[in-house]
Amino acid sequence: MRIGNASGFYGDRFDAMREMLTDGPLDVLTGDYLAELTMLILARDRLKDPSAGYARTFLRQLEECLGPAHERGVRIVTNAGGLNPAGLADAVRYLADRLGIPVRVAHVEGDDLTAAHPGSLAAHAYLGGFGIAACLREGADVVVTGRVTDAALVTGPAAAHFGWGPTEYDRLAGAVVAGHVLECGAQATGGNYAFFHEGDVRRPGFPLAEIHADGSCVITKHDGTGGFVDVGTVTAQLLYETAGARYAGPDVTARLDTVRLTQEGPDRVRVEGVRGEAPPPTLKVGVNRLGGFRNEVTFVLTGLDIEEKAALVRQQMGDALAESPPTEARWDLVRTDRPDAETEEMASALLRLVVRDADQQVVGRPLSGAAVELALAGYPGFHVLAPPGKGAPYGVFEDVYVPHSAVTHVAVLHDGRRIPVDPPKASAAPAALQEVSGPPLPEPPPPGPTIRAPLGLLAGARSGDKGCNANVGVWVRTDDAWRWLVHELTADRFRQLIPESRDLPVTRHVLPNLRALNFVVEGILGAGVASQARFDPQAKALGEWLRSRHSDIPEILL
């Protein structure tokens, strides 16, 4: 069964859906439009218009792609329904009628728990793939969901196609791994890849998985499309936004420590050996709330006395805001300046002030007025990148967990029939979800000459966000490099290399089959991406920062 993906987020390449349909054969085309931040964006849309709440881009893509999909017999499965899957399903039916294309549209519901979380803008459980499977088994051509796990877009079609039951954990786990590799689109085909220079990634194609009845698969892409697929690109995506060896989901817990990757040919990576276990007894629920209001201003400091200029403006702004101080004021001085610079921009540093408060008035006019009034009364060369505005709302995200019985998972078919989806027949006790011990670590390499060099000359990395936490996956490509890395890059060494993490809990997970380490840094992202608590609010570049840090690397490895 060939399953391709045409979207990794709300805003991904618009033409990808058409390209995936026309560049090669597929059985199912998926589209992943949802992320933690997207749910907040859609919730704000719904506040303005109760009929909104879904990814409108999907409808525009479908206008030119529904015909080709129907002609080729490709079924479409998407979570673009967001907060309003029934509304999007109706919109797709209207579009199909207008285009004169006979398609059966079904949707999945039951994830919306907003009413059970007073004060939230959106609270949605992450459902599994068996609602999607029920829709497909009953003949749906297009299946629209709300908040399901990203991997469910693949496990659902695979379960329907191969007839898998809810306790066929190894097969389901294989599909979860395939879905996790596909879910972020071009990140599996060379996009955002540490060793991007090894292929042409100017316009990477989107990935697809050839899934077999035993749950194994081959990750590939359509012939002639850009980018590349190798063990490294697949490893990078496997590590993305995960934690330990057990990757828990609503249908199955996939054992990432059992994954085996083999380069089968050009742009073909076989994924096999995945073991699965019963899912946990609870479902994850993503809760988005309004956190308050934020405002910011960036002062440009040029030339000499950068530290003294920064101290002056901090004192002046502090005095001006003292009458009505915001709840939080954060200053960051970014030393982008160079001595004896050949351009003014290269001679300048940036001093950023971010304020937050529950009252928009506190972060609005007081900050704007105080910053602008310093224009002729501040440090020499005073100017800002842009004047501050009125202050904008920001959201906060948190995970909570509920029993499976707290949701009513339903497949709503094209003819109006409603098929309830049963919760898992079994679940793993919470104690069983603790980290696995794994095989013993290999012996460290023998002593020898070392070179002080960036870690990234040897190791790849990919990082991302999960609520307030960040994960950084690090991998190497040879056994000798693994012997060094697994002993060198401990959690304590990670804290030394990433000073932001020194006072935070850092957990290291070891994945020997992938020659990989995965670090989870708790709390580094504040209240989640929408709160914009740091320069890189989704920790997308945290791994690249780590790769740029220097270590004493054995000379023989370089």
Side-chain angles (χ1 to χ4, degrees), residues 121-438:
L121 293 173
H124 291 256
Y126 289 70
L127 301 180
F130 280 97
I132 296 170
C135 294
L136 294 172
R137 285 169 176 157
E138 294 296 325
D141 302 300
V142 178
V143 180
V144 173
T145 78
R147 179 73 278 190
V148 296
T149 64
D150 300 337
L153 300 178
V154 171
T155 59
H161 182 79
F162 294 114
W164 295 339
T167 59
E168 296 187 66
Y169 297 133
D170 290 349
R171 293 176 172 86
L172 290 168
V176 164
V177 168
H180 181 56
V181 174
L182 297 189
E183 70 184 53
C184 288
Q187 280 196 169
T189 56
N192 297 352
Y193 183 51
F195 304 113
F196 65 94
H197 52 274
E198 295 182 354
D200 184 354
V201 295
R202 289 173 295 176
R203 187 179 171 85
F206 276 61
L208 62 92
E210 299 171 354
I211 301 180
H212 298 273
D214 64 355
S216 66
C217 72
V218 171
I219 303 296
T220 183
K221 62 186 184 68
H222 286 321
D223 292 341
T225 58
F228 61 103
V229 179
D230 66 14
V231 168
T233 66
V234 175
T235 298
Q237 181 55 30
L238 274 176
L239 296 173
Y240 183 63
E241 295 183 347
T242 60
R246 284 186 163 95
Y247 187 59
D251 297 322
V252 65
T253 294
R255 287 283 297 272
L256 299 183
D257 59 330
T258 63
V259 178
R260 297 197 305 271
L261 304 179
T262 308
Q263 193 76 41
E264 190 177 77
D267 295 320
R268 293 180 63 82
V269 173
R270 179 167 293 280
V271 184
E272 58 190 346
V274 187
R275 301 298 302 275
E277 300 170 345
T282 56
L283 290 173
K284 174 181 170 181
V285 179
V287 181
N288 285 280
R289 292 188 173 90
L290 180 65
F293 296 86
R294 71 185 296 278
N295 205 353
E296 69 175 84
V297 59
T298 300
F299 301 90
V300 182
L301 316 175
T302 304
L304 304 177
D305 306 319
I306 295 296
E307 298 285 349
E308 291 80 1
K309 289 171 180 174
L312 174 59
V313 72
R314 289 185 65 163
Q315 182 176 358
Q316 289 177 311
M317 289 295 294
D319 292 343
L321 296 175
E323 185 173 327
S324 181
T327 302
E328 178 187 345
R330 172 171 171 165
W331 292 90
D332 290 295
L333 177 59
V334 183
R335 295 299 300 266
T336 53
D337 56 302
R338 303 180 190 178
D340 195 20
E342 295 183 358
T343 68
E344 183 178 332
E345 187 171 5
M346 292 170 62
S348 300
L350 302 177
L351 178 64
R352 182 170 175 245
L353 168 63
V354 177
V355 297
R356 303 173 191 272
D357 198 272
D359 186 348
Q360 186 175 20
Q361 297 300 318
V362 171
V363 303
R365 173 62 186 150
L367 177 68
S368 178
V372 171
E373 288 168 6
L374 290 179
L376 303 180
Y379 56 86
F382 179 97
H383 66 287
V384 298
L385 289 183
K390 298 178 180 179
Y394 69 90
V396 296
F397 177 89
E398 66 173 325
D399 295 338
V400 298
Y401 292 85
V402 299
H404 288 267
S405 59
V407 304
T408 304
H409 190 176
V410 178
V412 184
L413 305 182
H414 56 281
D415 56 10
R417 286 181 293 144
R418 300 172 64 86
I419 299 179
V421 179
D422 294 331
K425 296 182 182 301
S427 62
L433 290 174
Q434 300 306 309
E435 188 58 58
V436 295
S437 57

Side-chain angles (χ1 to χ4, degrees), residues 21-157:
L21 286 169
T22 58
D23 287 349
L26 288 176
D27 297 301
V28 172
L29 182 60
T30 68
D32 181 5
Y33 293 79
L34 300 184
E36 294 165 2
L37 181 60
T38 313
M39 298 297 281
L40 179 63
I41 293 169
L42 295 177
R44 292 177 61 184
D45 288 347
R46 189 172 60 175
L47 287 175
K48 301 173 186 175
D49 178 2
S51 68
Y54 54 78
R56 297 181 184 275
T57 303
F58 171 75
L59 267 184
R60 298 202 304 273
Q61 291 172 300
L62 204 60
E63 183 149 8
E64 64 177 49
C65 293
L66 191 58
H70 179 66
E71 292 166 5
R72 291 166 171 78
V74 178
R75 292 164 135 183
I76 295 175
V77 179
T78 180
N79 62 14
L83 278 60
N84 188 7
L88 178 56
D90 286 341
V92 173
R93 293 185 188 100
Y94 177 81
L95 173 65
D97 289 345
R98 180 165 61 83
L99 297 176
I101 301 172
V103 296
R104 292 161 294 193
V105 183
H107 74 274
V108 177
E109 60 185 38
D111 59 299
D112 192 349
L113 300 180
T114 306
H117 295 269
S120 65
L121 293 173
H124 291 256
Y126 289 70
L127 301 180
F130 280 97
I132 296 170
C135 294
L136 294 172
R137 285 169 176 157
E138 294 296 325
D141 302 300
V142 178
V143 180
V144 173
T145 78
R147 179 73 278 190
V148 296
T149 64
D150 300 337
L153 300 178
V154 171
T155 59

